[in-house]
Every structure is written in structure tokens, then in C-alpha cells.
Amino acid sequence: MTRRTLLLRYAGFAVLATLANLATQRLVLLVGDGGTAFAIAVGAGTLVGLVVKYLLDKRWIFYDDATGLRAHGRKFTLYTVMGIVTTAVFWGTETAFWIFWKTDVMRELGAVLGLTIGYVIKYNLDRRFVFTDARLGAMS
């Protein structure tokens, strides 16, 4: 796979995971508002986005063909741990935008900005620490 293809694919998967995240947040926020609903929305959106991104990255970015609950459990745990710092970047940016502007549009802009920064960091962490036994495809 060429660097361009890798970049486009990774960016596309980040967009899909971001849309899944934000859609989940919107669904939660339809039920309630305020600080508690916001916290639940951010948490639920993060979980949905994490699972979507893990499945896409595992198969189409890192070409990891490990199967079974044990292999998935280990890798998903490492994938999640690598995402803790990047999630803090995402949550911090989204929350700062929400606190400062108090609009959904700006909250979502903060989420997109935080997720973009986080995904760049996360790719490098996943490549180095999570998918160490996977094949990355031929880079040309």
C-alpha cells in the first residue's frame, strides 16, 4: 500500500469513527441536557468510536489477521490504553469548546479538532505498541 493510500484510508476511517462518535452523542443528548447528559454523551460516543476504529484499523490499516477472543482482548486492551492520552486530548478540546461557546456546533468543532490531533498520535502509538506482529502492507 502506498503512503497516500494509507493516509487516505486512515483519514477515512477516522472520519467514520468520528461520525459514529458524534451521532451517538447526539442520540444521548436528545434524551437530556446539562452536565450529566453531556458526560454520558461524550463517554458513549467515545466507546462507539473506539470500537468502530479498532475494527477498521485492525483489518484495513495494520492487516492484523489474529483471531479469537484472547487475541482480540489483548489487542483491544492495548489499543484502548494507547487511546487514553489521545482521548484526553479529544475530551479536553471538545469540553473547552463547549464551555467557552456553549453551542453544539462549536462543541462538535472542538470534538473534530481534538479527534484529528488524537488520531495522528494514536496511529503512531498503535503501530509501535499494539499491532507489532501485524503486517502493514507494502509501502511504496
Side-chain angles (χ1 to χ4, degrees), residues 85-132:
V85 170
T86 59
T87 298
V89 170
F90 152 54
W91 282 357
T93 307
E94 179 177 9
T95 301
F97 275 56
W98 183 66
I99 288 170
F100 189 78
W101 283 285
K102 297 206 184 304
T103 69
D104 285 334
V105 170
M106 291 308 289
R107 176 187 57 79
E108 290 180 356
L109 178 62
V112 168
L113 179 62
L115 283 166
T116 301
I117 294 166
Y119 280 138
V120 170
I121 296 166
K122 184 135 180 35
Y123 169 80
N124 289 293
L125 291 172
D126 291 340
R127 185 172 164 219
R128 180 164 182 176
F129 298 110
V130 178
F131 297 104
T132 57

mmCIF file of all heavy atoms in Angstrom, residues 85-132:
data_model
loop_
_atom_site.group_PDB
_atom_site.id
_atom_site.type_symbol
_atom_site.label_atom_id
_atom_site.label_comp_id
_atom_site.label_asym_id
_atom_site.label_seq_id
_atom_site.Cartn_x
_atom_site.Cartn_y
_atom_site.Cartn_z
ATOM 1 N N VAL A 85 -4.375 8.742 26.370
ATOM 2 C CA VAL A 85 -3.817 10.087 26.212
ATOM 3 C C VAL A 85 -4.521 10.820 25.078
ATOM 4 O O VAL A 85 -4.896 11.988 25.209
ATOM 5 C CB VAL A 85 -2.299 10.028 25.951
ATOM 6 C CG1 VAL A 85 -1.752 11.391 25.553
ATOM 7 C CG2 VAL A 85 -1.580 9.500 27.179
ATOM 8 N N THR A 86 -4.734 10.112 23.970
ATOM 9 C CA THR A 86 -5.372 10.767 22.830
ATOM 10 C C THR A 86 -6.830 11.107 23.129
ATOM 11 O O THR A 86 -7.348 12.108 22.644
ATOM 12 C CB THR A 86 -5.236 9.920 21.552
ATOM 13 O OG1 THR A 86 -5.840 8.646 21.761
ATOM 14 C CG2 THR A 86 -3.779 9.731 21.188
ATOM 15 N N THR A 87 -7.473 10.297 23.956
ATOM 16 C CA THR A 87 -8.843 10.605 24.373
ATOM 17 C C THR A 87 -8.870 11.843 25.257
ATOM 18 O O THR A 87 -9.779 12.669 25.159
ATOM 19 C CB THR A 87 -9.468 9.402 25.093
ATOM 20 O OG1 THR A 87 -9.530 8.308 24.179
ATOM 21 C CG2 THR A 87 -10.867 9.719 25.593
ATOM 22 N N ALA A 88 -7.863 11.997 26.098
ATOM 23 C CA ALA A 88 -7.784 13.196 26.932
ATOM 24 C C ALA A 88 -7.659 14.453 26.064
ATOM 25 O O ALA A 88 -8.285 15.480 26.361
ATOM 26 C CB ALA A 88 -6.605 13.087 27.902
ATOM 27 N N VAL A 89 -6.899 14.360 24.970
ATOM 28 C CA VAL A 89 -6.786 15.485 24.037
ATOM 29 C C VAL A 89 -8.161 15.788 23.433
ATOM 30 O O VAL A 89 -8.619 16.933 23.404
ATOM 31 C CB VAL A 89 -5.761 15.177 22.918
ATOM 32 C CG1 VAL A 89 -5.830 16.232 21.807
ATOM 33 C CG2 VAL A 89 -4.360 15.071 23.483
ATOM 34 N N PHE A 90 -8.854 14.736 22.990
ATOM 35 C CA PHE A 90 -10.183 14.879 22.386
ATOM 36 C C PHE A 90 -11.182 15.465 23.393
ATOM 37 O O PHE A 90 -11.844 16.468 23.114
ATOM 38 C CB PHE A 90 -10.634 13.508 21.856
ATOM 39 C CG PHE A 90 -12.113 13.281 21.800
ATOM 40 C CD1 PHE A 90 -12.945 14.161 21.138
ATOM 41 C CD2 PHE A 90 -12.673 12.164 22.397
ATOM 42 C CE1 PHE A 90 -14.319 13.932 21.071
ATOM 43 C CE2 PHE A 90 -14.028 11.938 22.337
ATOM 44 C CZ PHE A 90 -14.844 12.824 21.684
ATOM 45 N N TRP A 91 -11.300 14.844 24.563
ATOM 46 C CA TRP A 91 -12.257 15.319 25.568
ATOM 47 C C TRP A 91 -11.944 16.743 26.007
ATOM 48 O O TRP A 91 -12.842 17.562 26.168
ATOM 49 C CB TRP A 91 -12.259 14.402 26.780
ATOM 50 C CG TRP A 91 -13.005 13.122 26.606
ATOM 51 C CD1 TRP A 91 -13.718 12.709 25.516
ATOM 52 C CD2 TRP A 91 -13.110 12.075 27.571
ATOM 53 N NE1 TRP A 91 -14.243 11.462 25.747
ATOM 54 C CE2 TRP A 91 -13.893 11.051 26.996
ATOM 55 C CE3 TRP A 91 -12.611 11.889 28.843
ATOM 56 C CZ2 TRP A 91 -14.199 9.877 27.660
ATOM 57 C CZ3 TRP A 91 -12.925 10.715 29.520
ATOM 58 C CH2 TRP A 91 -13.711 9.724 28.931
ATOM 59 N N GLY A 92 -10.666 17.027 26.214
ATOM 60 C CA GLY A 92 -10.288 18.367 26.653
ATOM 61 C C GLY A 92 -10.647 19.435 25.634
ATOM 62 O O GLY A 92 -11.172 20.496 25.984
ATOM 63 N N THR A 93 -10.378 19.145 24.375
ATOM 64 C CA THR A 93 -10.682 20.109 23.319
ATOM 65 C C THR A 93 -12.189 20.292 23.169
ATOM 66 O O THR A 93 -12.693 21.416 23.118
ATOM 67 C CB THR A 93 -10.062 19.660 21.979
ATOM 68 O OG1 THR A 93 -8.674 19.406 22.173
ATOM 69 C CG2 THR A 93 -10.244 20.715 20.908
ATOM 70 N N GLU A 94 -12.912 19.175 23.125
ATOM 71 C CA GLU A 94 -14.375 19.268 22.988
ATOM 72 C C GLU A 94 -14.992 20.012 24.166
ATOM 73 O O GLU A 94 -15.838 20.894 23.994
ATOM 74 C CB GLU A 94 -14.993 17.872 22.877
ATOM 75 C CG GLU A 94 -16.502 17.904 22.761
ATOM 76 C CD GLU A 94 -17.144 16.543 22.586
ATOM 77 O OE1 GLU A 94 -16.451 15.516 22.715
ATOM 78 O OE2 GLU A 94 -18.358 16.512 22.312
ATOM 79 N N THR A 95 -14.564 19.670 25.364
ATOM 80 C CA THR A 95 -15.117 20.300 26.567
ATOM 81 C C THR A 95 -14.794 21.791 26.615
ATOM 82 O O THR A 95 -15.654 22.609 26.955
ATOM 83 C CB THR A 95 -14.597 19.587 27.831
ATOM 84 O OG1 THR A 95 -14.978 18.211 27.767
ATOM 85 C CG2 THR A 95 -15.174 20.203 29.100
ATOM 86 N N ALA A 96 -13.574 22.146 26.262
ATOM 87 C CA ALA A 96 -13.190 23.564 26.251
ATOM 88 C C ALA A 96 -14.054 24.358 25.276
ATOM 89 O O ALA A 96 -14.532 25.454 25.620
ATOM 90 C CB ALA A 96 -11.711 23.704 25.891
ATOM 91 N N PHE A 97 -14.288 23.792 24.092
ATOM 92 C CA PHE A 97 -15.141 24.470 23.115
ATOM 93 C C PHE A 97 -16.569 24.595 23.641
ATOM 94 O O PHE A 97 -17.226 25.617 23.453
ATOM 95 C CB PHE A 97 -15.119 23.734 21.771
ATOM 96 C CG PHE A 97 -13.965 24.116 20.883
ATOM 97 C CD1 PHE A 97 -12.642 24.018 21.307
ATOM 98 C CD2 PHE A 97 -14.195 24.558 19.591
ATOM 99 C CE1 PHE A 97 -11.584 24.365 20.480
ATOM 100 C CE2 PHE A 97 -13.139 24.907 18.752
ATOM 101 C CZ PHE A 97 -11.834 24.812 19.201
ATOM 102 N N TRP A 98 -17.077 23.569 24.306
ATOM 103 C CA TRP A 98 -18.449 23.584 24.840
ATOM 104 C C TRP A 98 -18.570 24.612 25.960
ATOM 105 O O TRP A 98 -19.535 25.371 26.012
ATOM 106 C CB TRP A 98 -18.832 22.192 25.331
ATOM 107 C CG TRP A 98 -20.242 22.086 25.828
ATOM 108 C CD1 TRP A 98 -21.390 22.215 25.107
ATOM 109 C CD2 TRP A 98 -20.656 21.813 27.166
ATOM 110 N NE1 TRP A 98 -22.483 22.026 25.908
ATOM 111 C CE2 TRP A 98 -22.058 21.781 27.182
ATOM 112 C CE3 TRP A 98 -19.970 21.579 28.354
ATOM 113 C CZ2 TRP A 98 -22.788 21.531 28.332
ATOM 114 C CZ3 TRP A 98 -20.706 21.324 29.504
ATOM 115 C CH2 TRP A 98 -22.091 21.309 29.482
ATOM 116 N N ILE A 99 -17.591 24.636 26.864
ATOM 117 C CA ILE A 99 -17.626 25.574 27.990
ATOM 118 C C ILE A 99 -17.532 27.017 27.491
ATOM 119 O O ILE A 99 -18.248 27.900 27.968
ATOM 120 C CB ILE A 99 -16.498 25.260 28.998
ATOM 121 C CG1 ILE A 99 -16.823 23.970 29.752
ATOM 122 C CG2 ILE A 99 -16.278 26.418 29.969
ATOM 123 C CD1 ILE A 99 -15.672 23.434 30.599
ATOM 124 N N PHE A 100 -16.647 27.245 26.534
ATOM 125 C CA PHE A 100 -16.426 28.607 26.059
ATOM 126 C C PHE A 100 -17.591 29.132 25.220
ATOM 127 O O PHE A 100 -18.052 30.247 25.414
ATOM 128 C CB PHE A 100 -15.115 28.687 25.266
ATOM 129 C CG PHE A 100 -14.702 30.081 24.931
ATOM 130 C CD1 PHE A 100 -14.102 30.898 25.883
ATOM 131 C CD2 PHE A 100 -14.920 30.599 23.658
ATOM 132 C CE1 PHE A 100 -13.728 32.205 25.576
ATOM 133 C CE2 PHE A 100 -14.547 31.895 23.338
ATOM 134 C CZ PHE A 100 -13.950 32.700 24.304
ATOM 135 N N TRP A 101 -18.071 28.333 24.240
ATOM 136 C CA TRP A 101 -19.097 28.820 23.319
ATOM 137 C C TRP A 101 -20.512 28.346 23.644
ATOM 138 O O TRP A 101 -21.473 28.940 23.198
ATOM 139 C CB TRP A 101 -18.749 28.433 21.872
ATOM 140 C CG TRP A 101 -17.688 29.308 21.288
ATOM 141 C CD1 TRP A 101 -17.843 30.594 20.854
ATOM 142 C CD2 TRP A 101 -16.319 28.975 21.082
ATOM 143 N NE1 TRP A 101 -16.648 31.077 20.385
ATOM 144 C CE2 TRP A 101 -15.686 30.106 20.508
ATOM 145 C CE3 TRP A 101 -15.550 27.840 21.316
ATOM 146 C CZ2 TRP A 101 -14.344 30.123 20.184
ATOM 147 C CZ3 TRP A 101 -14.216 27.857 20.992
ATOM 148 C CH2 TRP A 101 -13.622 28.988 20.433
ATOM 149 N N LYS A 102 -20.648 27.235 24.341
ATOM 150 C CA LYS A 102 -21.957 26.677 24.736
ATOM 151 C C LYS A 102 -22.916 26.470 23.563
ATOM 152 O O LYS A 102 -24.121 26.723 23.666
ATOM 153 C CB LYS A 102 -22.614 27.543 25.805
ATOM 154 C CG LYS A 102 -21.821 27.588 27.100
ATOM 155 C CD LYS A 102 -22.691 27.878 28.271
ATOM 156 C CE LYS A 102 -21.936 28.032 29.558
ATOM 157 N NZ LYS A 102 -21.096 26.961 29.955
ATOM 158 N N THR A 103 -22.386 26.034 22.418
ATOM 159 C CA THR A 103 -23.227 25.672 21.279
ATOM 160 C C THR A 103 -22.818 24.289 20.781
ATOM 161 O O THR A 103 -21.652 23.895 20.906
ATOM 162 C CB THR A 103 -23.098 26.681 20.109
ATOM 163 O OG1 THR A 103 -21.803 26.570 19.524
ATOM 164 C CG2 THR A 103 -23.350 28.109 20.565
ATOM 165 N N ASP A 104 -23.771 23.577 20.227
ATOM 166 C CA ASP A 104 -23.476 22.246 19.691
ATOM 167 C C ASP A 104 -22.496 22.302 18.528
ATOM 168 O O ASP A 104 -21.637 21.434 18.385
ATOM 169 C CB ASP A 104 -24.765 21.539 19.243
ATOM 170 C CG ASP A 104 -25.579 21.033 20.428
ATOM 171 O OD1 ASP A 104 -24.989 20.765 21.489
ATOM 172 O OD2 ASP A 104 -26.802 20.901 20.274
ATOM 173 N N VAL A 105 -22.618 23.321 17.691
ATOM 174 C CA VAL A 105 -21.723 23.438 16.538
ATOM 175 C C VAL A 105 -20.276 23.588 17.002
ATOM 176 O O VAL A 105 -19.374 22.910 16.509
ATOM 177 C CB VAL A 105 -22.136 24.624 15.628
ATOM 178 C CG1 VAL A 105 -21.077 24.900 14.572
ATOM 179 C CG2 VAL A 105 -23.478 24.345 14.972
ATOM 180 N N MET A 106 -20.047 24.445 17.969
ATOM 181 C CA MET A 106 -18.682 24.650 18.452
ATOM 182 C C MET A 106 -18.195 23.445 19.259
ATOM 183 O O MET A 106 -17.018 23.091 19.199
ATOM 184 C CB MET A 106 -18.586 25.938 19.271
ATOM 185 C CG MET A 106 -18.762 27.192 18.421
ATOM 186 S SD MET A 106 -17.673 27.269 16.964
ATOM 187 C CE MET A 106 -16.097 27.548 17.749
ATOM 188 N N ARG A 107 -19.089 22.784 20.002
ATOM 189 C CA ARG A 107 -18.714 21.563 20.718
ATOM 190 C C ARG A 107 -18.239 20.518 19.721
ATOM 191 O O ARG A 107 -17.206 19.873 19.907
ATOM 192 C CB ARG A 107 -19.897 21.015 21.518
ATOM 193 C CG ARG A 107 -19.602 19.683 22.207
ATOM 194 C CD ARG A 107 -20.840 19.076 22.856
ATOM 195 N NE ARG A 107 -21.937 18.873 21.934
ATOM 196 C CZ ARG A 107 -22.020 17.848 21.084
ATOM 197 N NH1 ARG A 107 -21.079 16.936 21.017
ATOM 198 N NH2 ARG A 107 -23.055 17.728 20.284
ATOM 199 N N GLU A 108 -18.985 20.356 18.634
ATOM 200 C CA GLU A 108 -18.607 19.369 17.620
ATOM 201 C C GLU A 108 -17.336 19.785 16.875
ATOM 202 O O GLU A 108 -16.518 18.938 16.533
ATOM 203 C CB GLU A 108 -19.770 19.123 16.661
ATOM 204 C CG GLU A 108 -20.888 18.367 17.346
ATOM 205 C CD GLU A 108 -22.092 18.088 16.462
ATOM 206 O OE1 GLU A 108 -22.117 18.551 15.297
ATOM 207 O OE2 GLU A 108 -23.011 17.407 16.940
ATOM 208 N N LEU A 109 -17.135 21.070 16.652
ATOM 209 C CA LEU A 109 -15.889 21.531 16.045
ATOM 210 C C LEU A 109 -14.704 21.195 16.958
ATOM 211 O O LEU A 109 -13.665 20.714 16.505
ATOM 212 C CB LEU A 109 -15.936 23.030 15.765
ATOM 213 C CG LEU A 109 -14.652 23.630 15.175
ATOM 214 C CD1 LEU A 109 -14.338 23.010 13.807
ATOM 215 C CD2 LEU A 109 -14.778 25.140 15.070
ATOM 216 N N GLY A 110 -14.870 21.421 18.246
ATOM 217 C CA GLY A 110 -13.837 21.060 19.212
ATOM 218 C C GLY A 110 -13.580 19.562 19.217
ATOM 219 O O GLY A 110 -12.429 19.108 19.313
ATOM 220 N N ALA A 111 -14.644 18.776 19.094
ATOM 221 C CA ALA A 111 -14.500 17.316 19.038
ATOM 222 C C ALA A 111 -13.715 16.903 17.801
ATOM 223 O O ALA A 111 -12.802 16.068 17.876
ATOM 224 C CB ALA A 111 -15.871 16.645 19.042
ATOM 225 N N VAL A 112 -14.049 17.468 16.659
ATOM 226 C CA VAL A 112 -13.360 17.122 15.414
ATOM 227 C C VAL A 112 -11.884 17.517 15.495
ATOM 228 O O VAL A 112 -10.995 16.741 15.117
ATOM 229 C CB VAL A 112 -14.060 17.779 14.200
ATOM 230 C CG1 VAL A 112 -13.211 17.669 12.946
ATOM 231 C CG2 VAL A 112 -15.438 17.156 13.985
ATOM 232 N N LEU A 113 -11.603 18.696 16.006
ATOM 233 C CA LEU A 113 -10.218 19.141 16.146
ATOM 234 C C LEU A 113 -9.442 18.223 17.100
ATOM 235 O O LEU A 113 -8.340 17.769 16.787
ATOM 236 C CB LEU A 113 -10.179 20.591 16.647
ATOM 237 C CG LEU A 113 -8.797 21.193 16.870
ATOM 238 C CD1 LEU A 113 -8.012 21.247 15.563
ATOM 239 C CD2 LEU A 113 -8.942 22.589 17.467
ATOM 240 N N GLY A 114 -10.026 17.928 18.250
ATOM 241 C CA GLY A 114 -9.375 17.051 19.220
ATOM 242 C C GLY A 114 -9.180 15.645 18.701
ATOM 243 O O GLY A 114 -8.131 15.018 18.917
ATOM 244 N N LEU A 115 -10.175 15.127 17.996
ATOM 245 C CA LEU A 115 -10.050 13.784 17.428
ATOM 246 C C LEU A 115 -8.982 13.730 16.338
ATOM 247 O O LEU A 115 -8.239 12.761 16.236
ATOM 248 C CB LEU A 115 -11.401 13.315 16.867
ATOM 249 C CG LEU A 115 -12.403 12.850 17.911
ATOM 250 C CD1 LEU A 115 -13.797 12.747 17.294
ATOM 251 C CD2 LEU A 115 -11.999 11.540 18.541
ATOM 252 N N THR A 116 -8.887 14.771 15.540
ATOM 253 C CA THR A 116 -7.874 14.804 14.482
ATOM 254 C C THR A 116 -6.468 14.754 15.074
ATOM 255 O O THR A 116 -5.633 13.942 14.656
ATOM 256 C CB THR A 116 -8.041 16.067 13.610
ATOM 257 O OG1 THR A 116 -9.350 16.056 13.029
ATOM 258 C CG2 THR A 116 -6.992 16.130 12.519
ATOM 259 N N ILE A 117 -6.211 15.589 16.044
ATOM 260 C CA ILE A 117 -4.901 15.584 16.703
ATOM 261 C C ILE A 117 -4.650 14.221 17.353
ATOM 262 O O ILE A 117 -3.579 13.637 17.226
ATOM 263 C CB ILE A 117 -4.823 16.718 17.748
ATOM 264 C CG1 ILE A 117 -4.871 18.080 17.056
ATOM 265 C CG2 ILE A 117 -3.562 16.570 18.605
ATOM 266 C CD1 ILE A 117 -5.142 19.237 18.001
ATOM 267 N N GLY A 118 -5.666 13.721 18.031
ATOM 268 C CA GLY A 118 -5.542 12.432 18.714
ATOM 269 C C GLY A 118 -5.268 11.276 17.774
ATOM 270 O O GLY A 118 -4.461 10.389 18.087
ATOM 271 N N TYR A 119 -5.920 11.256 16.624
ATOM 272 C CA TYR A 119 -5.730 10.148 15.680
ATOM 273 C C TYR A 119 -4.315 10.118 15.093
ATOM 274 O O TYR A 119 -3.772 9.056 14.836
ATOM 275 C CB TYR A 119 -6.761 10.192 14.558
ATOM 276 C CG TYR A 119 -8.104 9.631 14.948
ATOM 277 C CD1 TYR A 119 -9.285 10.262 14.567
ATOM 278 C CD2 TYR A 119 -8.213 8.460 15.683
ATOM 279 C CE1 TYR A 119 -10.518 9.758 14.910
ATOM 280 C CE2 TYR A 119 -9.439 7.946 16.039
ATOM 281 C CZ TYR A 119 -10.588 8.593 15.650
ATOM 282 O OH TYR A 119 -11.808 8.081 15.993
ATOM 283 N N VAL A 120 -3.723 11.267 14.888
ATOM 284 C CA VAL A 120 -2.345 11.302 14.392
ATOM 285 C C VAL A 120 -1.407 10.668 15.425
ATOM 286 O O VAL A 120 -0.565 9.831 15.099
ATOM 287 C CB VAL A 120 -1.909 12.748 14.057
ATOM 288 C CG1 VAL A 120 -0.415 12.826 13.782
ATOM 289 C CG2 VAL A 120 -2.706 13.280 12.871
ATOM 290 N N ILE A 121 -1.582 11.056 16.670
ATOM 291 C CA ILE A 121 -0.772 10.476 17.744
ATOM 292 C C ILE A 121 -1.063 8.987 17.878
ATOM 293 O O ILE A 121 -0.158 8.158 18.004
ATOM 294 C CB ILE A 121 -1.050 11.207 19.074
ATOM 295 C CG1 ILE A 121 -0.619 12.667 18.982
ATOM 296 C CG2 ILE A 121 -0.362 10.499 20.241
ATOM 297 C CD1 ILE A 121 -1.147 13.545 20.111
ATOM 298 N N LYS A 122 -2.333 8.616 17.808
ATOM 299 C CA LYS A 122 -2.748 7.228 18.030
ATOM 300 C C LYS A 122 -2.203 6.272 16.978
ATOM 301 O O LYS A 122 -1.791 5.160 17.297
ATOM 302 C CB LYS A 122 -4.273 7.129 18.061
ATOM 303 C CG LYS A 122 -4.762 5.725 18.387
ATOM 304 C CD LYS A 122 -5.854 5.764 19.377
ATOM 305 C CE LYS A 122 -6.392 4.412 19.746
ATOM 306 N NZ LYS A 122 -5.457 3.329 19.795
ATOM 307 N N TYR A 123 -2.181 6.679 15.727
ATOM 308 C CA TYR A 123 -1.634 5.814 14.687
ATOM 309 C C TYR A 123 -0.209 5.398 15.034
ATOM 310 O O TYR A 123 0.154 4.228 14.951
ATOM 311 C CB TYR A 123 -1.655 6.495 13.309
ATOM 312 C CG TYR A 123 -0.860 5.714 12.291
ATOM 313 C CD1 TYR A 123 -1.412 4.592 11.683
ATOM 314 C CD2 TYR A 123 0.449 6.053 11.992
ATOM 315 C CE1 TYR A 123 -0.669 3.840 10.775
ATOM 316 C CE2 TYR A 123 1.198 5.309 11.091
ATOM 317 C CZ TYR A 123 0.629 4.202 10.487
ATOM 318 O OH TYR A 123 1.365 3.454 9.609
ATOM 319 N N ASN A 124 0.586 6.369 15.416
ATOM 320 C CA ASN A 124 1.984 6.087 15.735
ATOM 321 C C ASN A 124 2.125 5.193 16.966
ATOM 322 O O ASN A 124 2.971 4.295 16.988
ATOM 323 C CB ASN A 124 2.764 7.393 15.894
ATOM 324 C CG ASN A 124 2.949 8.069 14.558
ATOM 325 O OD1 ASN A 124 3.650 7.561 13.693
ATOM 326 N ND2 ASN A 124 2.298 9.196 14.358
ATOM 327 N N LEU A 125 1.304 5.398 17.972
ATOM 328 C CA LEU A 125 1.336 4.531 19.149
ATOM 329 C C LEU A 125 0.885 3.112 18.805
ATOM 330 O O LEU A 125 1.510 2.130 19.240
ATOM 331 C CB LEU A 125 0.446 5.102 20.257
ATOM 332 C CG LEU A 125 0.923 6.388 20.921
ATOM 333 C CD1 LEU A 125 -0.159 6.941 21.846
ATOM 334 C CD2 LEU A 125 2.220 6.156 21.678
ATOM 335 N N ASP A 126 -0.190 2.992 18.026
ATOM 336 C CA ASP A 126 -0.703 1.663 17.651
ATOM 337 C C ASP A 126 0.306 0.894 16.815
ATOM 338 O O ASP A 126 0.502 -0.311 17.006
ATOM 339 C CB ASP A 126 -2.020 1.789 16.879
ATOM 340 C CG ASP A 126 -3.150 2.280 17.748
ATOM 341 O OD1 ASP A 126 -3.049 2.168 18.990
ATOM 342 O OD2 ASP A 126 -4.134 2.788 17.195
ATOM 343 N N ARG A 127 0.935 1.584 15.913
ATOM 344 C CA ARG A 127 1.925 0.942 15.048
ATOM 345 C C ARG A 127 3.102 0.419 15.859
ATOM 346 O O ARG A 127 3.628 -0.653 15.587
ATOM 347 C CB ARG A 127 2.395 1.954 14.010
ATOM 348 C CG ARG A 127 3.327 1.386 12.996
ATOM 349 C CD ARG A 127 3.562 2.407 11.906
ATOM 350 N NE ARG A 127 4.726 2.006 11.173
ATOM 351 C CZ ARG A 127 5.653 2.798 10.716
ATOM 352 N NH1 ARG A 127 5.543 4.094 10.920
ATOM 353 N NH2 ARG A 127 6.678 2.353 10.053
ATOM 354 N N ARG A 128 3.484 1.186 16.858
ATOM 355 C CA ARG A 128 4.656 0.804 17.643
ATOM 356 C C ARG A 128 4.362 -0.191 18.758
ATOM 357 O O ARG A 128 5.196 -1.048 19.056
ATOM 358 C CB ARG A 128 5.279 2.056 18.241
ATOM 359 C CG ARG A 128 6.498 1.743 19.053
ATOM 360 C CD ARG A 128 7.320 2.930 19.324
ATOM 361 N NE ARG A 128 8.494 2.497 20.070
ATOM 362 C CZ ARG A 128 9.457 3.274 20.407
ATOM 363 N NH1 ARG A 128 9.424 4.530 20.051
ATOM 364 N NH2 ARG A 128 10.474 2.807 21.085
ATOM 365 N N PHE A 129 3.169 -0.107 19.395
ATOM 366 C CA PHE A 129 2.918 -0.895 20.594
ATOM 367 C C PHE A 129 1.793 -1.918 20.499
ATOM 368 O O PHE A 129 1.768 -2.869 21.269
ATOM 369 C CB PHE A 129 2.632 0.028 21.781
ATOM 370 C CG PHE A 129 3.774 0.933 22.123
ATOM 371 C CD1 PHE A 129 3.684 2.294 21.878
ATOM 372 C CD2 PHE A 129 4.936 0.430 22.677
ATOM 373 C CE1 PHE A 129 4.741 3.144 22.186
ATOM 374 C CE2 PHE A 129 6.000 1.276 22.988
ATOM 375 C CZ PHE A 129 5.900 2.625 22.744
ATOM 376 N N VAL A 130 0.836 -1.746 19.598
ATOM 377 C CA VAL A 130 -0.336 -2.632 19.568
ATOM 378 C C VAL A 130 -0.221 -3.688 18.481
ATOM 379 O O VAL A 130 -0.303 -4.887 18.753
ATOM 380 C CB VAL A 130 -1.642 -1.828 19.378
ATOM 381 C CG1 VAL A 130 -2.845 -2.769 19.305
ATOM 382 C CG2 VAL A 130 -1.812 -0.812 20.500
ATOM 383 N N PHE A 131 -0.066 -3.262 17.264
ATOM 384 C CA PHE A 131 -0.066 -4.183 16.129
ATOM 385 C C PHE A 131 1.362 -4.530 15.725
ATOM 386 O O PHE A 131 1.747 -4.440 14.557
ATOM 387 C CB PHE A 131 -0.855 -3.585 14.961
ATOM 388 C CG PHE A 131 -2.305 -3.383 15.292
ATOM 389 C CD1 PHE A 131 -2.816 -2.111 15.573
ATOM 390 C CD2 PHE A 131 -3.176 -4.457 15.372
ATOM 391 C CE1 PHE A 131 -4.141 -1.930 15.889
ATOM 392 C CE2 PHE A 131 -4.512 -4.278 15.691
ATOM 393 C CZ PHE A 131 -4.991 -3.011 15.950
ATOM 394 N N THR A 132 2.138 -4.975 16.679
ATOM 395 C CA THR A 132 3.557 -5.248 16.470
ATOM 396 C C THR A 132 3.791 -6.490 15.623
ATOM 397 O O THR A 132 4.814 -6.592 14.962
ATOM 398 C CB THR A 132 4.291 -5.407 17.798
ATOM 399 O OG1 THR A 132 3.657 -6.457 18.551
ATOM 400 C CG2 THR A 132 4.243 -4.103 18.584
#
